Structures are given as C-alpha cells and as structure tokens.
Amino acid sequence: MNVREEILNLKRELNAAILAHNYQPYEVQEIADFVGDSLELSLLSTKLDAEVIVFAGVRFMAEQTKALNPNKKVLMPIPSALCSLASLVTVEMIKEYREKYPGAPLVVYVNSPIEVKAEADYIVTSANATKLISKLNSDTILFSPDANLAHYVAKVTGKKVIAIPPTGHCYVHLLITPYDILEAKRKYPDAIALVHPEVPPEAQELADYIAGTSGMIKFVSRSDHKKFLIGTETGMLNRLRREFPDKEFYPIVPNADCIGMKKITLESIYYSLKNLVYEVVIKEEYMHKVRRALDRSFEILGV
Ligand code: 13P
Ligand code: SF4
C-alpha cells in the first residue's frame, strides 16, 4: 500500500479530516478534505463531525482551529512548522502599546500566537482586515503583527493604523520587491499582477490587485484574463493551478518559500494519523478569550 492509501484508510478508521492551507505542497492539497485560507479553514472545522483534525499548515492556524474546536483532537504533522511573522509579537509589546494608546481598539492578524490573540479586541485575516477596521468607531487602531498589512489597511481606510511592532514583517513576502514585479511584468506583459498585502508598500504600489489568498482565488475566478503573476508564497500556485487548469500562473519570485509551510509532507501526515501526534494543547483561558474576540469580529463583519 502506498502512503496515500494508508492516509485514506487511517482517515476513515479514525473519523479524521485533513485541512490544508492554500500554501501547502500539491500532493498535500490533493489529499486534503478542504483547502483554504487560515480563517476559512478554522471556521469550516467547526462544521465537521470529524473527531480528529490534522492541520497541514503552521502553528497559529492549528491553534486557532483548536480554540474553535475544544472537544476535537487537533494534530500538527510537524510541530515545528512555525510562522516567523507570528513570532515577532509578544504580550508585553501589546501591553506597552495599550498603555500608550488607551481607548484604541486592538486588531490582531490571525498570524499571531494564541496568547496575543487572547489580548485582542478583534481578530482578522488579510481577507477581512480592511472591512472590519473601516467599520470600527475609532480613527486610531492598534494592529499586530504585520506592518505592511497595517500600511495597506491605513491606505484603504484612511485611518491611523499603528503597527505593533513597527517593523513586523513576513520574510517570504519581503522577498517580493518592486524590481521583481517590474521584471515579471516585462517578461509577461499581458499578465495581471496579484500581490499579498504582506509585501512591502513599494511593491504594493506596482500591483494590479492586492488580496490575501482567498481574495486571489475569487479575483481569478471572476476574471477573463488568462495569465497572472503571483506575488505571495509559492504554494499558492499549487492551489491556483489545481483550481484553474486553463489559466496560467507565474510566481513573481520563484523561491518565495515559507520554511514552515514546506515542512509538511504526506509522510508526516501519515505519521501524525498513525500515532495521533502532535496534539495541539492550549490553555482554556486563551480559548475562551480568542472565541470572544472572534465572535465580536464576526458580528461586525456580519459573518
Ligand atoms: P491567509 O490569511 O490568506 O490564509 O494567508 C496566511 C499567510 O500566512 C499569509 O502569508
Ligand atoms: Fe507566516 Fe510568512 Fe509563512 Fe505566511 S508565508 S505562514 S506570514 S512566515
């Protein structure tokens, strides 16, 4: 039996589901029950009757899924699959800014550790950050941890968005420079450039469209164009090529690889199911606070 068949058998035996982020390797996306963006997947997980969920993605995504599914076993195939952006913020930093800007709502990006999410007034993804912030009754917003996304939100909403920390960034998206976008456009002049709002502001300026991973999928599905330049983590091309086989996708930076995302393999998923490891455990106190912040956010967003 090959590893794919072994995984499918274990999934049936254990009543398990595999959720894979849009950045996951092709073969992982193929075997997953659902592929999507971080928030999309954790929301969907609450509707599944599976007792075990294997999350093929990085730690903050698995933690968020656990927070929404306290009675399910949530497994990470590779416990060291981390998001470096999420590691840039601490509760101490948040407290310092809260003191400096009393009354300013704290909006936390899903790419953050669970203890920081527990401090949040609202929790967002790149797909809904501008919508939520534009609806808040405050002109000054504290936003953590991505400063480039904070810049994008400030530009769209016209609000003062203070990034915590001021230089919070994703090393993968920092690789996508204006030069790379111009070069890709020169090579493929009839392609549309889609970039993630985590890229630096100078690169955002050159994009034809700025969106998170689910926003890119929506844009392509509605577009008559055939060719697209993709300015985000390279795994996104797997999702787009699977979903739109008649369209062409080119990475703006072909080595924009997220180490955490790329750690997951079919073998690690098999090992995870076979041995029921590595279980995500989070403090009850955090689960409760995170759920409250999410509920507050969904109410404003009308989800
Ligand atoms: P999404 O919010 O679109 O899932 O992207 C997460 C991410 O890690 C971006 O780099
Ligand atoms: Fe985090 Fe960047 Fe990887 Fe996304 S691509 S999971 S932001 S390190």
Side-chain angles (χ1 to χ4, degrees):
M1 220 185 316
N2 65 31
V3 68
R4 264 185 66 87
E5 286 163 7
E6 300 264 19
I7 291 173
L8 294 174
N9 283 344
L10 282 168
K11 230 163 53 102
R12 268 189 298 272
E13 268 171 42
L14 297 165
N15 185 22
I18 300 172
L19 305 183
H21 187 263
N22 288 327
Y23 291 163
Q24 281 296 288
Y26 199 94
E27 62 282 7
V28 172
Q29 294 196 15
E30 262 185 339
I31 205 154
D33 296 277
F34 300 97
V35 182
D37 79 15
S38 45
L39 193 62
E40 206 166 61
L41 289 174
S42 47
L43 284 181
L44 191 141
S45 65
T46 61
K47 304 204 170 81
L48 300 175
D49 70 357
E51 290 160 67
V52 176
I53 294 173
V54 179
F55 202 108
V58 290
R59 177 166 293 276
F60 78 84
M61 301 177 179
E63 282 180 344
Q64 168 126 324
T65 301
K66 178 65 187 177
L68 290 172
N69 296 276
N71 300 322
K72 290 175 189 159
K73 202 184 265 295
V74 178
L75 304 175
M76 282 186 77
I78 303 280
S80 63
L82 300 177
C83 166
S84 73
L85 168 62
S87 326
L88 294 178
V89 57
T90 62
V91 171
E92 288 67 35
M93 282 180 197
I94 297 289
K95 289 195 168 149
E96 192 188 314
Y97 277 80
R98 284 277 213 193
E99 265 180 37
K100 221 159 135 188
Y101 298 93
L106 172 67
V107 181
V108 171
Y109 187 31
V110 278
N111 298 47
S112 55
I114 199 80
E115 65 276 13
V116 167
K117 280 197 189 83
E119 297 289 319
D121 296 315
Y122 304 97
I123 297 172
V124 295
T125 51
S126 46
N128 60 26
T130 45
K131 186 173 174 193
L132 183 130
I133 289 172
S134 67
K135 290 185 175 219
L136 294 183
N137 193 17
S138 172
D139 285 334
T140 303
I141 309 288
L142 299 177
F143 186 87
S144 184
D146 192 85
N148 295 329
L149 178 56
H151 166 90
Y152 172 70
V153 172
K155 197 167 172 207
V156 174
T157 62
K159 297 196 179 194
K160 183 174 176 186
V161 183
I162 298 163
I164 313 171
T167 54
H169 66 278
C170 156
Y171 70 97
V172 180
H173 288 87
L174 226 54
L175 294 172
I176 298 161
T177 67
Y179 170 78
D180 297 301
I181 300 180
L182 289 172
E183 264 303 288
K185 283 187 168 184
R186 192 183 57 76
K187 239 166 136 181
Y188 302 101
D190 50 346
I192 301 286
L194 308 183
V195 309
H196 197 284
E198 284 178 18
V199 304
E202 321 80 77
Q204 293 179 17
E205 294 295 326
L206 294 172
D208 295 308
Y209 189 66
I210 300 175
T213 60
S214 51
M216 286 185 184
I217 293 163
K218 263 189 218 140
F219 183 92
V220 172
S221 73
R222 293 174 187 157
S223 170
D224 293 333
H225 279 88
K226 284 274 174 244
K227 292 185 188 171
F228 299 88
L229 303 172
I230 303 302
T232 189
E233 210 279 333
T234 53
M236 188 63 203
L237 285 112
N238 299 328
R239 173 74 201 266
L240 290 164
R241 286 174 180 151
R242 288 180 61 241
E243 191 113 357
F244 308 101
D246 56 331
K247 300 200 178 202
E248 291 171 37
F249 301 97
Y250 305 97
I252 291 175
V253 174
N255 64 345
D257 296 328
C258 172
I259 298 171
M261 287 286 176
K262 296 275 186 281
K263 283 186 175 180
I264 318 282
T265 57
L266 285 185
E267 286 71 19
S268 63
I269 292 176
Y270 166 70
Y271 186 87
S272 178
L273 281 167
K274 179 90 185 144
N275 299 291
L276 288 177
V277 290
Y278 295 90
E279 188 169 358
V280 177
V281 180
I282 55 181
K283 286 188 189 161
E284 181 58 45
E285 161 205 355
Y286 292 154
M287 289 207 221
H288 181 66
K289 289 184 176 166
V290 168
R291 281 202 299 270
R292 256 199 353 221
L294 278 170
D295 285 347
R296 229 179 271 130
S297 312
F298 296 150
E299 202 180 312
I300 292 201
L301 291 162
V303 176

